[in-house]
């Protein structure tokens, strides 16, 4: 698969850890991961935003592995935050997981299905 990061010079530049666009060519697999919630497989909910955010990324990773893929295959991330006050913590924890990978990204402040959940993350991956 060929992946090109696109950040048009005549549009706003990304502000940390993402690309304005990701162009894919010659991919064989395309995976759409539904919004991953911050609970464990046995339905336990971690306390606090950092623990919930890390759990969400563990859940994303589990879906990727089940599909024979890895975080290196992520091309798009959409994050739903229950409160904008978690923006910086979210960015830091997402960066811990993604490292230097720069997928296309959107963050939305939204009411989440369960008010105890502080975030939800959906991902598109390709190989």
């Amino acid at each position: 698969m060929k992946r090109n990061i696109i950040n048009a010079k005549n549009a706003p530049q990304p502000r940390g850890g993402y690309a304005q666009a990701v162009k894919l060519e010659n991919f064989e697999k395309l995976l759409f991961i539904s919004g991953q919630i911050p609970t464990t497989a046995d339905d336990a909910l971690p306390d606090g935003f950092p623990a919930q955010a890390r759990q969400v990324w563990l859940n994303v990773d589990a879906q990727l592995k089940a599909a024979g893929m890895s975080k290196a295959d992520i091309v798009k991330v959409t994050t739903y935050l229950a409160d904008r006050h978690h923006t910086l913590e979210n960015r830091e924890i997402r960066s811990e997981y993604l490292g230097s990978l720069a997928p296309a990204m959107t963050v939305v402040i939204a009411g989440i299905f369960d008010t105890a959940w502080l975030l939800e993350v959906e991902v598109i991956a390709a190989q």
Side-chain angles (χ1 to χ4, degrees):
M1 175 181 77
K2 183 177 177 185
R3 176 196 305 237
N4 290 319
I5 302 299
I6 298 170
N7 293 307
K9 292 183 189 323
N10 61 341
Q13 295 304 298
R15 295 181 181 157
Y18 67 96
Q20 291 290 23
V22 177
K23 180 181 174 185
L24 302 177
E25 296 178 48
N26 305 320
F27 61 89
E28 294 180 11
K29 288 189 205 177
L30 188 59
L31 177 67
F32 295 86
I33 300 177
S34 295
Q36 296 299 293
I37 60 175
T39 61
T40 63
D42 60 355
D43 209 29
L45 179 66
D47 289 330
F49 186 85
Q52 285 195 23
R54 287 185 179 93
Q55 184 60 54
V56 162
W57 287 109
L58 288 172
N59 295 344
V60 166
D61 207 48
Q63 301 303 332
L64 288 164
K65 287 179 181 173
M69 300 172 93
S70 73
K71 67 182 176 183
D73 299 316
I74 294 174
V75 295
K76 172 73 168 95
V77 174
T78 303
T79 302
Y80 301 93
L81 294 177
D83 188 321
R84 73 180 62 254
H85 293 101
H86 298 301
T87 302
L88 293 179
E89 280 182 299
N90 177 62
R91 183 182 298 164
E92 290 170 9
I93 293 163
R94 182 186 63 229
S95 293
E96 283 176 17
Y97 176 74
L98 293 177
S100 63
L101 185 66
M105 191 170 307
T106 302
V107 177
V108 179
I109 309 303
I112 303 205
F113 181 77
D114 186 322
T115 57
W117 302 342
L118 301 176
L119 76 162
E120 187 171 337
V121 174
E122 62 184 24
V123 168
I124 299 172
Q127 265 183 349

